[in-house]
Amino acid sequence: QVQLEESGGGLVQAGGSLRLSCAASGRTFGLYAMGWFRQATGKEREFVTGISRSGGGTYYADSVKGRFTISRDNGNNTVHLQMSSLKPEDTAVYYCAAASGSYYWRGNEYDFWGQGTQVTVSS
């Protein structure tokens, strides 16, 4: 198993940027595909982005394509989400997730979750 802990959430104005980080425990981090989900109040959880085990493959939801960038550092067991040109509709709790399979582009493949970090974008 893998334990995940997010950090970096906060309040930002529309048009601004924010960087989320996720620290993973364990020595097998490189065996997991990693991703970020978000859930706004009253809405279903949305799969935002995923990255392959090596970092060579990435997936983005249309809603964030061109504005968000996912990256990972297997040496430091971390995954990051750089968010730019933020909009009020990006306001949500953001969750880091890990998938023991290789299908990083499939939201239903993720089976380990962090506790989440709040991102609030003011207009």
Side-chain angles (χ1 to χ4, degrees):
Q1 286 197 355
V2 60
Q3 284 77 48
L4 306 172
E5 183 174 1
E6 304 93 339
S7 61
L11 174 64
V12 62
Q13 289 189 334
S17 298
L18 206 59
R19 188 186 194 219
L20 305 183
S21 296
C22 174
S25 66
R27 294 177 289 180
T28 59
F29 178 71
L31 298 181
Y32 293 91
M34 299 297 297
W36 290 91
F37 291 70
R38 66 185 181 186
Q39 187 166 20
T41 302
K43 295 188 177 181
E44 293 187 355
R45 187 171 293 188
E46 177 189 9
F47 179 41
V48 175
T49 179
I51 189 167
S52 66
R53 295 167 177 172
S54 67
T58 56
Y59 163 86
Y60 296 95
D62 287 343
S63 58
V64 305
K65 199 172 293 183
R67 300 188 299 120
F68 289 14
T69 302
I70 188 172
S71 62
R72 67 187 296 164
D73 181 348
N74 286 351
N76 289 308
N77 286 14
T78 55
V79 61
H80 304 285
L81 181 62
Q82 179 66 47
M83 304 184 293
S84 302
S85 302
L86 283 162
K87 306 174 182 179
E89 50 263 45
D90 294 318
T91 295
V93 177
Y94 282 73
Y95 297 90
C96 177
S100 51
S102 59
Y103 299 106
Y104 62 91
W105 60 90
R106 296 182 184 173
N108 59 4
E109 291 289 317
Y110 289 82
D111 39 19
F112 299 100
W113 301 85
Q115 293 298 308
T117 185
Q118 176 70 46
V119 172
T120 303
V121 184
S122 62
S123 57

